[in-house]
Amino acid sequence: MNKIIINGGHELEGTIKIGGDKNSVVALIPAAILSDEEVTIANVPEISDIDALEEILEYLNAYVERNEDIIKINSKSIVNKEIPESIATKFRASYYFMGALLSKYKKVEIYFPGGCNIGSRPIDQHIKGFKALGATVIEEGNKYTITADKLIGTKITIDMPDKGATTSVGATINIMLAAVKAEGETIIENAAKEPQIVNVATFLNNMGAKIIGAGTSTIKIKGVTKLGSSFNEVIPDRIEAGTYMILASLIGKNVKIENIIPEHNEALINKLKEMGVNIELGRDYAIIKKCDNLKPVNIKTLVYPGFVTDLQQIMTAMLTQANGISIVEETIYENRFQNVKYLNDMGSNIIIEDDKPYCGKLYIHGKTPLKGCEVKATDLRGGASVVVAGLIAEGTTTITNIEHILRGYDKIIQKLTSIGAKITIE
Ligand code: EPU
């Protein structure tokens, strides 16, 4: 089994170019099959979730050509058949084939998706949306058979009264995919506003869809009968950008993080500034120098534009280096503190408090020196948090279960090595 080995404590200097957004591209690729012609997606990151998507496309007999960061997809020859559990559970975004195949073929047979084990992650709002559009959904164990004679536009309100999250990114995109060729108009109320929703809507509109309002809480979709060829670029990955911003704030001599959209990271940038970090922002870059006297701050994860849950675990690693007590509240996922055990093994002093109705709170007592040891990547961002901890720790950190990290971080070893990190895969 592969491991990441880090020799920590080395200052970082140089430029890192951010890749395409994982959580956009994993929706853009299923969306591509809605077209009757070839579509091209550029700025595709090198992550293993893309390999899993490619496997589904090839299994369905679509034509896929991947060349560096460009992917071309032609779905003319698709054979719509059951997507087996062994493929669907490899990653979370396999659920976007529900909306895309339902939209195009009025039938989809697929299993409950996989993805990081960070909470219960139901898909009731996706299913509610498909049913509202006129589909019949049969659930047998983990298998979903979704069929429709026709799909008819309607008003769908995403509504999760029992959850900390007030809306769902996945349900918003999946309903958009299902509604794009439905008869008449679909209105999604309380839609998620994350940047990836805008990226997907722009891509569909370039193919001929009629979607307005993406990025606001009301999205209106006028159904069209045909979608054509399109070229689209994946937006920069704001979580990858945020991860390197945090790292540079801790051990960056002068690190330039380029190909970013600073507005997408506004909540993080404000917190870093509050902690005392020196950040120079340009149109599409940030230059960051480490701060040796970090102030503690409190974080609460929220839907966009609030502080994103996907940076919570990485920020927690950073807060172990602030002078004082920081509090982190996770409101989106109930199981996103698994990294804490490993940070504490490295020397941090973090106490977990289960504080329902929120998913939980952390009290981080800083500043504590960290020492390298053997740790586990419990999930994608938990993995990134121990990479950051390992890079600032004294001595050697060995990370196991690194497949989680490779699912979502574009060329992570090459990028970190290029700015002076001592990190290898063994
Ligand atoms: N939820 C429901 N019912 C639903 C859908 C969601 O209760 O039908 C709940 C979830 O259980 C969760 C919350 O609502 O508590 C938010 O879920 P959401 O649907 O917004 O998340 P997702 O679409 O499954 C995507 C990203 C996640 C990211 C979240 C929130 C992908 C493939 N995943 O997940 O990314 O955390 O949005 O921004 O796009 C990651 O990159 O590390 C990651 C986990």
Side-chain angles (χ1 to χ4, degrees):
M1 194 176 280
N2 287 343
K3 292 176 180 178
I4 288 179
I5 316 282
I6 299 173
N7 190 281
H10 299 277
E11 264 189 352
L12 307 176
E13 189 172 16
T15 301
I16 283 201
K17 187 173 176 220
I18 297 307
D21 179 35
K22 168 181 97 72
N23 290 341
S24 289
V25 72
V26 296
L28 294 177
I29 291 176
I33 68 171
L34 284 163
S35 172
D36 301 315
E37 295 164 39
E38 182 173 278
V39 297
T40 305
I41 304 170
N43 199 29
V44 174
E46 208 178 293
I47 53 175
S48 65
D49 268 10
I50 303 295
D51 303 335
L53 280 156
E54 206 178 333
E55 191 182 346
I56 295 188
L57 290 177
E58 281 170 355
Y59 168 82
L60 293 174
N61 206 39
Y63 169 80
V64 187
E65 188 187 311
R66 205 166 144 194
N67 198 351
E68 296 191 348
D69 69 340
I70 309 264
I71 191 163
K72 289 185 178 179
I73 299 165
N74 193 322
S75 306
K76 234 191 270 169
S77 55
I78 277 197
V79 179
N80 184 23
K81 54 184 173 174
E82 178 187 309
I83 298 175
E85 191 162 19
S86 57
I87 310 184
T89 51
K90 277 193 179 164
F91 64 123
R92 182 77 186 154
S94 60
Y95 58 22
Y96 289 133
F97 283 94
M98 288 182 169
L101 289 171
L102 176 66
S103 182
K104 189 159 183 180
Y105 301 103
K106 309 283 178 290
K107 180 169 183 188
V108 51
E109 286 179 276
I110 194 167
Y111 285 79
F112 192 82
C116 290
N117 174 22
I118 50 179
S120 61
R121 310 185 80 179
I123 56 167
D124 54 297
Q125 297 299 308
H126 306 228
I127 301 299
K128 180 178 95 174
F130 301 147
K131 285 182 177 166
L133 290 166
T136 302
V137 182
I138 298 171
E139 285 181 50
E140 290 161 297
N142 281 341
K143 185 181 164 187
Y144 291 81
T145 304
I146 310 172
T147 51
D149 292 333
K150 57 179 173 182
L151 296 167
I152 300 173
T154 184
K155 185 167 166 175
I156 300 162
T157 304
I158 297 177
D159 176 31
M160 305 188 305
D162 306 327
K163 285 274 180 172
T166 46
T167 182
S168 158
V169 172
T172 302
I173 294 178
N174 235 340
I175 295 168
M176 232 162 51
L177 295 175
V180 87
K181 295 176 90 180
E183 278 175 28
E185 186 175 64
T186 301
I187 301 175
I188 309 176
E189 292 285 14
N190 191 34
K193 300 176 195 160
E194 271 68 0
Q196 60 263 44
I197 313 268
V198 181
N199 204 183
V200 175
T202 307
F203 179 59
L204 291 168
N205 283 343
N206 287 348
M207 280 158 58
K210 290 195 159 53
I211 303 172
I212 58 166
T216 76
S217 57
T218 304
I219 299 178
K220 295 182 180 169
I221 306 152
K222 266 205 182 113
V224 295
T225 51
K226 215 175 150 30
L227 293 169
S229 88
S230 166
F231 169 87
N232 220 70
E233 217 166 300
V234 185
I235 56 171
D237 192 315
R238 68 192 170 114
I239 310 303
E240 188 196 11
T243 303
Y244 292 123
M245 284 180 188
I246 288 171
L247 188 58
S249 305
L250 289 163
I251 44 166
K253 208 167 163 193
N254 205 6
V255 176
K256 183 174 184 189
I257 300 152
E258 61 179 26
N259 190 35
I260 64 168
I261 298 175
E263 291 74 15
H264 289 174
N265 282 103
E266 209 171 316
L268 171 69
I269 290 168
N270 288 341
K271 283 293 168 188
L272 293 178
K273 285 184 178 166
E274 206 181 314
M275 291 179 77
V277 179
N278 181 345
I279 307 182
E280 180 192 327
L281 287 177
R283 199 178 73 92
D284 66 349
Y285 68 84
I287 297 174
I288 301 186
K289 292 185 189 77
K290 71 170 180 172
C291 171
D292 290 322
N293 188 18
L294 292 168
K295 296 188 196 79
V297 290
N298 297 338
I299 304 283
K300 183 173 178 174
T301 63
L302 292 167
V303 296
Y304 189 78
F307 194 96
V308 61
T309 170
D310 300 340
L311 284 173
Q312 176 267 109
Q313 291 161 297
I314 303 147
M315 192 62 176
T316 294
M318 175 168 187
L319 292 172
T320 66
Q321 302 308 301
N323 291 299
I325 301 174
S326 301
I327 302 173
V328 169
E329 276 182 76
E330 172 61 54
T331 77
I332 312 291
Y333 294 113
E334 63 270 25
N335 199 16
R336 219 167 196 182
F337 290 154
Q338 296 171 84
N339 59 323
V340 167
K341 172 194 176 320
Y342 296 100
L343 293 176
N344 281 346
D345 285 352
M346 294 177 77
S348 67
N349 179 2
I350 307 172
I351 293 161
I352 302 179
E353 184 186 279
D354 193 10
D355 185 32
K356 302 283 179 216
Y358 291 127
C359 300
K361 251 187 206 175
L362 298 179
Y363 291 85
I364 305 164
H365 298 256
K367 169 181 184 172
T368 47
L370 300 182
K371 250 192 149 74
C373 66
E374 180 156 336
V375 294
K376 192 166 130 187
T378 52
D379 53 86
L380 168 57
R381 309 302 172 187
S385 87
V386 288
V387 169
V388 168
L391 288 166
I392 61 175
E394 191 197 311
T396 304
T397 298
T398 304
I399 306 174
T400 59
N401 290 50
I402 63 167
E403 63 282 357
H404 290 299
I405 300 171
L406 304 180
R407 273 192 38 231
Y409 279 91
D410 178 52
K411 302 188 246 344
I412 183 168
I413 304 294
Q414 276 158 269
K415 286 186 184 180
L416 284 171
T417 305
S418 76
I419 57 167
K422 307 284 176 247
I423 180 167
T424 51
I425 290 194
E426 199 175 77

